[in-house]
Amino acid sequence: MSLQTVRSPFLLNDYTALSVHQEQTPNSFYDGKPVLHYHATGAKAWIPKSQRGKLPFFPADLSSEPTPPENSALNGQTEESVEQKVDIFVNSQYAPPPHPPSPHPSTNHAPPPRNLSIFCPSAESGVSIPYQQISIHAVKTLQDSNQTAHPAVYLQLELAEGGAGDDDFDTLELTLIPQPRDTTTTPATPDASTTTTTPPKAETTLLFEAISECSNLNPDPVQDGDDEDSDEDGGAQILFEGDYEAVEGFSGVFAGARDGGLPPAMPGSGGWITAENVHEYFDEEGNWIGGEEGVSGELGEGAGVVHGREEDEEGAAGDGAEAAVEGEAKRTRREGVALPVTGSSRLIAACTRDMLPSSGNVLPYDNAVRLAFRWNAKRLKAALFSRSSERWVYAHPEHPVDLGQDLVVIVKTGYGTRERVPAWLDALSDANEFRDILVIADSEGHIDFKDKYHDKGLHVHDAVGHSLRLHLRRYEDHPRVAKYKQLTEAIFNNNEALAQNHCRAFGWELDAMKFISGLEMTYQKYPHKRWYLLVDDDTFIIQPSLKPLLEHLNPEQPHYLGNAVGDFKARFAHGGSAVILSHAAMRMLIENQRALASIYVDSLDETWGDRLLAKALLKLGIHLDEAYSHLFNGEPPLLSKIRADRLCSPLISFHKLPTPAAMREVGEYFRNVSKPVMWNDLWEIYGKTPPWRQTDGAFHHNWDYVGEPDESTLAISRVKTAEACEKQLNRRSRSSLAWSWDPQTETCYISHWMILGRAAPGHVSAVNAPRARSLETTCIQY
């Protein structure tokens, strides 16, 4: 992302305090509040006078000189500086899922950028600086003639990545001097305590540490086509020494034996579970199968210790390190590459006998250490092995499914969005097989609807009321219960305006209470269904793509399917993209009343019901099966991000169709579809020719194939022409699929996906046609 000018001040309530974020499972998808690591007001910002005009709050004619007491440290310097008073917001990429807009249009504004944000009240402007553009940050001590030290934070910013030429780099030096904070006011970090047993850190230290932490959370994007060698992992690492051949391009992945076997065990691995013996102790799902003896052998000295990069380099010549070749400088042998450690627990201890008791009792399924082990094992497997073939799409079904008899659809809506449900039903294709449909909401109701399966309409079930009547009677005083009663009262009194206001204000809180209760109500009514499909009222399902997936899987095995989001501690299926549970999974979930009771209590405080469902299943040992995650989609058709790993895969769902008109429009496009839809079929369904097959030139004017950028989008500033933007993509042709050039801002956007496209006045865009054509040759033909 490129540096962005801001014209309105940042607000504290636009951010999530770090302490609040740390109490929740971190997630990163779609919109939401960034996490605030540091905030200061009235800080001093200096730049060299010769660099005025490069930042919006340092205009070219600014003449304000640095003020006391720090300015005395500048005496004798040849380079003059200028000063502005600024507010600083240091925030990271972590963000919760989207929330409804404010009912007051005047308060709606774009969410704040997730980076280093600086605003100058006097200049009425500010800047958002992506951490990738901070090439240097350090603590700088300004010392005056009296030897008084004035600490500051020094930043060197890259204002351009080179544009059309590699030598056109533009940098700027920015010095930030946060002022001493009144101890009676809010702490510098939103989570800091005002009562501590240790002296508080200096403001400069807090600012520097916050920038360092957020920079680590936002590393430079790695592009396969880049020529530069990069030292990829900047955090804590497990380092292996020895002559082991690493797989090119994969950190921590070692080449196997020539006979197809696994890599050799690491030196001193007698007390560890290694790549050589892991199959003796765990199955593919991370379940313990190692018998009663546990892991044999004693751990060596230092087991469980995580060394930082600098510490490893300093100790390379110490105990256990080989002597360097004569005549060469001593260095750590890094052919083995470092294996990153996931999670705050730093996973080393996950493989020790202490973590896996010799009695045979294993850690709970939802234990962070066990989840981290499983996460890393899955990542390693994904790096070593390509995705299995999806020929099952057109193969003879292993477990034949009749969608009308074997599946029930749970449509989740709310009082504020109930008008979407008739449109959802109208959008069903002419060949619709959905017969059993149960609608759940936060109030009772009825929907007039007729088709070949329904002639009396559909009843809307109050899933929140179900929770309160049967499971939460002792929690009448809980704030969320009080909000439900407010909505119920407004509906009963026919106060539509008040009811709608309640829905906008806390509808999302009540939504979290519908998931478990809605599934329980469904299982009670349809206990013998083989499959259960949970969708939102703005989710569209492509039935011809859904059916072969279900016929490929055994419903008597506990399957939990959907679009994976969240970190290793709470991977869950995004509810808007659709969630699928097999009969076995539903039976285990609903019939375990003891576990269910605690989950109902958790629903009173859980923010996201889809995450709550994943937690409930995880306690039973049912993990989200991410092998099919790429089949589910959380975007509308025209904005769906088509990546290389899914171009030839089936597509099951669309999301974010918020109006009845939008839902019915998609239904019309897919009304006559009778065979599984692949992602690359979208162009044909929407009456377009895929851009890589077109012969009228690669450039498309007033169009955009990149769509909404995210943290992985590469944004290159000061690119003068569309041709120069295309050259930037060509440098990264092995990893990128589309580019889009904005002539107004001279910004080139490069993404590793492509969308069907959208009108974008003035823009020029194209896809990576050679790569798209190559990928298409691997598609399975119907």
Side-chain angles (χ1 to χ4, degrees), residues 364-401:
Y365 290 111
D366 56 353
N367 180 273
V369 172
R370 181 169 183 168
L371 291 173
F373 180 89
R374 186 178 188 275
W375 168 270
N376 282 285
K378 290 290 185 182
R379 291 182 65 193
L380 179 61
K381 181 179 178 181
L384 288 172
F385 306 103
S386 59
R387 180 183 295 157
S388 58
S389 170
E390 291 175 341
R391 295 187 179 277
W392 51 263
V393 178
Y394 300 124
H396 181 75
E398 300 178 52
H399 308 278
V401 169

Coordinates of all heavy atoms in Angstrom, one line a residue, residues 364-401:
P364 N -6.3 -31.1 25.7 CA -7.6 -30.9 25.1 C -7.5 -30.5 23.7 O -6.6 -29.9 23.3 CB -8.3 -29.8 26.0 CG -7.5 -29.9 27.3 CD -6.1 -30.3 26.9
Y365 N -8.6 -30.8 22.9 CA -8.6 -30.4 21.5 C -8.4 -28.9 21.3 O -7.8 -28.5 20.3 CB -9.9 -30.9 20.8 CG -10.0 -32.4 20.7 CD1 -11.0 -33.1 21.5 CD2 -9.3 -33.1 19.8 CE1 -11.1 -34.4 21.3 CE2 -9.4 -34.5 19.7 CZ -10.3 -35.1 20.5 OH -10.5 -36.5 20.3
D366 N -8.9 -28.1 22.2 CA -8.8 -26.7 22.0 C -7.6 -26.0 22.7 O -7.6 -24.8 22.9 CB -10.1 -26.0 22.5 CG -10.5 -26.3 23.9 OD1 -9.8 -27.1 24.5 OD2 -11.5 -25.7 24.4
N367 N -6.7 -26.9 23.2 CA -5.5 -26.3 23.8 C -4.6 -25.6 22.8 O -4.4 -26.2 21.7 CB -4.7 -27.5 24.5 CG -3.4 -27.0 25.2 OD1 -2.4 -26.9 24.5 ND2 -3.5 -26.7 26.4
A368 N -4.1 -24.5 23.1 CA -3.3 -23.7 22.2 C -2.1 -24.4 21.6 O -1.8 -24.3 20.5 CB -2.9 -22.3 22.8
V369 N -1.4 -25.1 22.5 CA -0.2 -25.9 22.1 C -0.6 -26.9 21.0 O 0.1 -27.1 20.0 CB 0.5 -26.5 23.3 CG1 1.6 -27.4 22.8 CG2 1.0 -25.4 24.2
R370 N -1.6 -27.7 21.3 CA -2.0 -28.7 20.4 C -2.5 -28.1 19.1 O -2.2 -28.6 18.0 CB -3.2 -29.5 21.0 CG -3.7 -30.7 20.1 CD -4.6 -31.6 20.8 NE -5.0 -32.7 19.9 CZ -5.6 -33.8 20.3 NH1 -5.8 -34.0 21.6 NH2 -5.9 -34.8 19.5
L371 N -3.2 -27.0 19.1 CA -3.7 -26.3 17.9 C -2.5 -25.8 17.1 O -2.5 -25.9 15.9 CB -4.7 -25.2 18.3 CG -6.0 -25.6 18.8 CD1 -6.8 -24.4 19.3 CD2 -6.8 -26.4 17.8
A372 N -1.5 -25.3 17.8 CA -0.3 -24.7 17.1 C 0.4 -25.9 16.4 O 0.9 -25.7 15.3 CB 0.6 -24.0 18.1
F373 N 0.5 -27.0 17.1 CA 1.2 -28.2 16.5 C 0.4 -28.6 15.2 O 1.0 -28.8 14.2 CB 1.2 -29.3 17.5 CG 1.9 -30.6 16.9 CD1 3.3 -30.8 17.0 CD2 1.1 -31.5 16.2 CE1 3.9 -31.9 16.5 CE2 1.7 -32.7 15.7 CZ 3.1 -32.8 15.8
R374 N -0.9 -28.7 15.3 CA -1.7 -29.1 14.2 C -1.6 -28.1 13.0 O -1.5 -28.4 11.8 CB -3.2 -29.2 14.6 CG -4.1 -29.8 13.5 CD -5.5 -29.9 14.0 NE -6.3 -30.7 13.1 CZ -6.9 -30.1 12.1 NH1 -6.8 -28.8 11.9 NH2 -7.7 -30.8 11.2
W375 N -1.6 -26.8 13.4 CA -1.5 -25.7 12.4 C -0.2 -25.8 11.6 O -0.1 -25.8 10.4 CB -1.6 -24.4 13.1 CG -1.2 -23.2 12.3 CD1 0.0 -22.6 12.2 CD2 -2.1 -22.3 11.5 NE1 0.0 -21.5 11.4 CE2 -1.3 -21.3 10.9 CE3 -3.4 -22.4 11.2 CZ2 -1.8 -20.4 10.1 CZ3 -4.0 -21.4 10.4 CH2 -3.2 -20.4 9.9
N376 N 1.0 -26.0 12.3 CA 2.2 -26.1 11.7 C 2.4 -27.4 10.8 O 3.0 -27.4 9.8 CB 3.4 -26.0 12.7 CG 3.6 -24.6 13.1 OD1 4.2 -23.8 12.4 ND2 3.1 -24.2 14.3
A377 N 1.8 -28.5 11.3 CA 1.8 -29.7 10.6 C 1.1 -29.6 9.3 O 1.5 -30.0 8.2 CB 1.3 -30.8 11.4
K378 N -0.1 -28.9 9.3 CA -0.9 -28.7 8.1 C -0.1 -27.8 7.1 O -0.2 -28.0 5.9 CB -2.2 -28.1 8.5 CG -3.2 -29.0 9.2 CD -3.7 -30.1 8.3 CE -4.7 -31.0 9.0 NZ -5.2 -32.1 8.1
R379 N 0.5 -26.7 7.6 CA 1.3 -25.8 6.8 C 2.4 -26.6 6.1 O 2.7 -26.4 4.9 CB 1.8 -24.6 7.5 CG 0.7 -23.7 8.0 CD 1.3 -22.5 8.7 NE 2.1 -21.7 7.9 CZ 2.9 -20.7 8.3 NH1 3.0 -20.5 9.6 NH2 3.6 -20.0 7.4
L380 N 3.1 -27.4 6.9 CA 4.2 -28.2 6.3 C 3.7 -29.1 5.2 O 4.3 -29.3 4.2 CB 4.9 -29.0 7.4 CG 6.1 -29.8 7.0 CD1 7.2 -29.0 6.4 CD2 6.6 -30.6 8.2
K381 N 2.6 -29.8 5.5 CA 2.0 -30.7 4.5 C 1.6 -30.0 3.3 O 1.9 -30.5 2.1 CB 0.8 -31.4 5.1 CG 0.2 -32.4 4.2 CD -1.0 -33.1 4.9 CE -1.7 -34.1 3.9 NZ -2.9 -34.7 4.5
A382 N 1.1 -28.8 3.4 CA 0.7 -28.0 2.2 C 1.9 -27.6 1.4 O 1.8 -27.5 0.2 CB -0.1 -26.8 2.7
A383 N 3.0 -27.3 2.1 CA 4.2 -26.9 1.4 C 4.9 -28.0 0.7 O 5.4 -27.9 -0.4 CB 5.2 -26.3 2.4
L384 N 4.8 -29.2 1.3 CA 5.4 -30.4 0.7 C 4.6 -31.1 -0.4 O 5.2 -31.6 -1.4 CB 5.8 -31.4 1.8 CG 6.9 -31.1 2.8 CD1 6.9 -32.1 3.9 CD2 8.2 -31.0 2.0
F385 N 3.3 -31.0 -0.3 CA 2.5 -31.8 -1.2 C 1.5 -30.8 -1.9 O 0.9 -29.9 -1.2 CB 1.7 -32.9 -0.5 CG 2.6 -33.8 0.3 CD1 2.7 -33.7 1.7 CD2 3.4 -34.7 -0.4 CE1 3.6 -34.5 2.4 CE2 4.2 -35.6 0.3 CZ 4.3 -35.5 1.7
S386 N 1.2 -31.0 -3.1 CA 0.2 -30.2 -3.9 C -1.2 -30.7 -3.5 O -1.4 -31.8 -2.9 CB 0.4 -30.4 -5.4 OG 0.3 -31.8 -5.8
R387 N -2.2 -29.9 -3.7 CA -3.5 -30.2 -3.4 C -4.0 -31.4 -4.2 O -3.7 -31.6 -5.4 CB -4.4 -29.0 -3.7 CG -5.9 -29.3 -3.4 CD -6.8 -28.1 -3.8 NE -6.4 -26.9 -3.0 CZ -6.6 -25.7 -3.4 NH1 -7.2 -25.4 -4.6 NH2 -6.3 -24.6 -2.6
S388 N -4.7 -32.3 -3.5 CA -5.2 -33.5 -4.2 C -6.2 -33.1 -5.4 O -6.8 -32.1 -5.4 CB -5.9 -34.4 -3.2 OG -7.0 -33.7 -2.6
S389 N -6.3 -34.0 -6.3 CA -7.1 -33.8 -7.5 C -8.5 -33.6 -7.1 O -9.1 -34.2 -6.2 CB -7.0 -35.0 -8.5 OG -7.9 -34.9 -9.5
E390 N -9.2 -32.8 -7.9 CA -10.7 -32.5 -7.6 C -11.5 -33.2 -8.7 O -12.6 -32.7 -9.1 CB -10.9 -31.0 -7.6 CG -10.3 -30.4 -6.3 CD -10.5 -28.9 -6.2 OE1 -10.7 -28.3 -7.3 OE2 -10.4 -28.4 -5.1
R391 N -11.0 -34.3 -9.2 CA -11.8 -35.1 -10.2 C -13.0 -35.6 -9.6 O -13.9 -36.1 -10.4 CB -10.9 -36.2 -10.8 CG -9.7 -35.6 -11.6 CD -8.9 -36.8 -12.3 NE -7.8 -36.2 -13.1 CZ -7.9 -35.7 -14.3 NH1 -9.1 -35.6 -14.9 NH2 -6.9 -35.2 -14.9
W392 N -13.2 -35.6 -8.3 CA -14.4 -36.1 -7.7 C -15.6 -35.3 -8.2 O -16.8 -35.7 -8.0 CB -14.3 -36.0 -6.2 CG -13.8 -34.7 -5.6 CD1 -12.6 -34.4 -5.2 CD2 -14.6 -33.5 -5.3 NE1 -12.5 -33.1 -4.7 CE2 -13.7 -32.6 -4.8 CE3 -15.9 -33.2 -5.5 CZ2 -14.2 -31.3 -4.4 CZ3 -16.4 -32.0 -5.1 CH2 -15.5 -31.0 -4.6
V393 N -15.3 -34.1 -8.7 CA -16.5 -33.2 -9.1 C -17.3 -33.9 -10.2 O -18.5 -33.8 -10.2 CB -15.9 -31.9 -9.7 CG1 -17.1 -31.0 -10.2 CG2 -15.1 -31.1 -8.6
Y394 N -16.6 -34.6 -11.1 CA -17.3 -35.3 -12.2 C -17.3 -36.8 -12.1 O -17.7 -37.5 -13.0 CB -16.8 -34.9 -13.5 CG -16.9 -33.4 -13.8 CD1 -15.8 -32.6 -14.1 CD2 -18.1 -32.8 -13.7 CE1 -15.9 -31.3 -14.3 CE2 -18.2 -31.4 -13.9 CZ -17.1 -30.6 -14.2 OH -17.3 -29.3 -14.4
A395 N -16.7 -37.3 -10.9 CA -16.6 -38.8 -10.8 C -17.9 -39.4 -10.3 O -18.8 -38.7 -9.9 CB -15.5 -39.1 -9.8
H396 N -18.0 -40.7 -10.3 CA -19.1 -41.4 -9.8 C -19.2 -41.2 -8.3 O -18.2 -41.3 -7.6 CB -19.0 -42.9 -10.1 CG -20.2 -43.7 -9.6 ND1 -21.4 -43.7 -10.2 CD2 -20.3 -44.5 -8.5 CE1 -22.2 -44.5 -9.6 NE2 -21.6 -45.0 -8.5
P397 N -20.4 -40.7 -7.8 CA -20.4 -40.3 -6.4 C -20.2 -41.5 -5.4 O -20.8 -42.6 -5.6 CB -21.9 -39.8 -6.2 CG -22.6 -40.4 -7.4 CD -21.6 -40.5 -8.5
E398 N -19.4 -41.3 -4.4 CA -19.1 -42.3 -3.4 C -20.3 -42.4 -2.5 O -20.6 -43.5 -1.9 CB -17.8 -42.0 -2.7 CG -16.6 -41.9 -3.5 CD -15.4 -41.5 -2.7 OE1 -15.1 -42.1 -1.6 OE2 -14.7 -40.5 -3.1
H399 N -21.0 -41.3 -2.2 CA -22.1 -41.3 -1.2 C -23.2 -40.5 -1.9 O -23.3 -39.3 -1.6 CB -21.6 -40.7 0.1 CG -20.4 -41.3 0.7 ND1 -20.4 -42.4 1.4 CD2 -19.1 -40.9 0.6 CE1 -19.2 -42.8 1.8 NE2 -18.4 -41.8 1.3
P400 N -24.0 -41.1 -2.7 CA -25.0 -40.3 -3.5 C -25.9 -39.5 -2.5 O -26.3 -39.9 -1.4 CB -25.8 -41.5 -4.2 CG -24.8 -42.6 -4.3 CD -24.0 -42.5 -3.1
V401 N -26.3 -38.3 -3.0 CA -27.0 -37.4 -2.2 C -28.2 -36.9 -3.0 O -28.1 -36.5 -4.2 CB -26.2 -36.2 -1.8 CG1 -27.1 -35.1 -1.2 CG2 -25.1 -36.6 -0.8

